[in-house]
Amino acid sequence: MNDPKRDDDEDLIRQRQRSRSIVMAVLLGAFVILMFGISIVKIKAGMQ
């Protein structure tokens, strides 16, 4: 049948995967914002 310890382990694994996914999403978003900012600065510097 269902082993309670196994269910707890799976819940822990899913929780860790979710937290890792959130961290990766935040890092990816920060990278995109950084690249966007650098692009805007380069474009403005080229216009002068």
Side-chain angles (χ1 to χ4, degrees):
M1 309 273 173
N2 284 342
D3 183 12
K5 182 165 174 29
R6 184 166 182 230
D7 289 341
D8 291 343
D9 289 344
E10 287 181 7
D11 290 342
L12 184 61
I13 290 169
R14 297 289 175 253
Q15 185 179 14
R16 287 180 182 168
Q17 285 177 337
R18 180 170 173 78
S19 64
R20 261 189 241 129
S21 295
I22 291 170
V23 168
M24 288 303 295
V26 169
L27 290 175
L28 181 60
F31 180 72
V32 168
I33 291 169
L34 179 65
M35 290 296 115
F36 181 72
I38 290 171
S39 298
I40 296 298
V41 169
K42 283 186 168 189
I43 289 170
K44 285 187 177 183
M47 288 181 172
Q48 295 176 354

